[in-house]
Amino acid sequence: MVSTRIDWHEYFMNIADQVATRSTCDRKHVGAVIVRDRTILSTGYNGSVRGGVHCDDAGHDMENGHCVRTVHAEANAVAQAAKNGVRIDVSEIYVTASPCLTCFKLLANSGVRVVYYKEFYRDERISQYARESGIELVFMGKQTSVIPGADDVPEREPTPRAI
């Protein structure tokens, strides 16, 4: 009998896709799920500062072509874990778009060891920082390009040992 059950990587990325539906900036909906030992530790989506106005309601606050009203999904996932006293050291993150350099550094310093992403988003420098810090970047998307300079191959299967 052939199983139609999805693997853990697809499961967690599907949850990240669902988390992204809560985003409050229509320029980009991004979701993030932090996991350790097949257990969800925290989630985050790009949205305004807690209690602040949302882009969807007040418009965008643009700076150098970027909306700066929102906190990125990865940063919100780390903040939610911290707020709730959840240790994320030696964890993995599933994110619908690759992190910007600032979020990548936050993840690295928080102990995230593997970043699974579906879509490359803007910052090519994360591949160099990942190599230097020993963090694995794993492309899970369908597109044909990955972060330039990254060691990942577009058709690469996620590393089974990671979970």
Side-chain angles (χ1 to χ4, degrees):
M1 184 162 133
V2 176
S3 174
T4 58
R5 187 175 184 195
I6 63 173
D7 68 24
W8 286 103
H9 298 291
E10 189 176 352
Y11 171 73
F12 290 124
M13 190 59 81
N14 286 348
I15 293 171
D17 281 329
Q18 188 63 40
V19 170
T21 67
R22 292 283 304 153
S23 295
T24 62
C25 182
D26 62 4
R27 288 177 52 87
K28 186 85 176 156
H29 288 195
V30 180
V33 178
I34 300 176
V35 174
R36 184 177 51 246
D37 299 328
R38 297 183 184 168
T39 301
I40 296 172
L41 303 176
S42 186
T43 65
Y45 54 86
N46 58 319
S48 298
V49 172
R50 188 179 300 269
V53 295
H54 301 296
C55 295
D56 291 349
D57 300 328
H60 302 287
D61 182 4
M62 299 300 291
E63 185 177 289
N64 298 322
H66 300 280
C67 180
V68 296
R69 185 181 304 282
T70 61
V71 178
H72 290 184
E74 307 91 327
N76 271 326
V78 170
Q80 179 182 334
K83 181 176 186 269
N84 292 302
V86 177
R87 182 179 67 86
I88 60 172
D89 191 31
V90 193
S91 65
E92 303 168 337
I93 190 166
Y94 291 80
V95 62
T96 58
S98 60
C100 69
L101 184 58
T102 299
C103 285
F104 179 83
K105 292 186 291 186
L106 177 66
L107 295 171
N109 282 359
S110 297
V112 173
R113 304 310 306 151
V114 183
V115 177
Y116 297 95
Y117 66 98
K118 273 179 48 171
E119 168 192 347
F120 170 68
Y121 184 68
R122 296 189 186 210
D123 207 326
E124 299 173 3
R125 297 173 294 177
I126 68 168
S127 61
Q128 174 189 342
Y129 279 72
R131 278 191 303 276
E132 292 171 356
S133 59
I135 294 173
E136 186 177 2
L137 297 174
V138 181
F139 176 74
M140 289 184 61
K142 303 276 188 245
Q143 65 194 38
T144 58
S145 63
V146 295
I147 298 171
D151 295 327
D152 298 314
V153 178
E155 299 303 317
R156 177 180 168 208
E157 288 294 316
T159 308
R161 63 129 187 98
I163 32 184

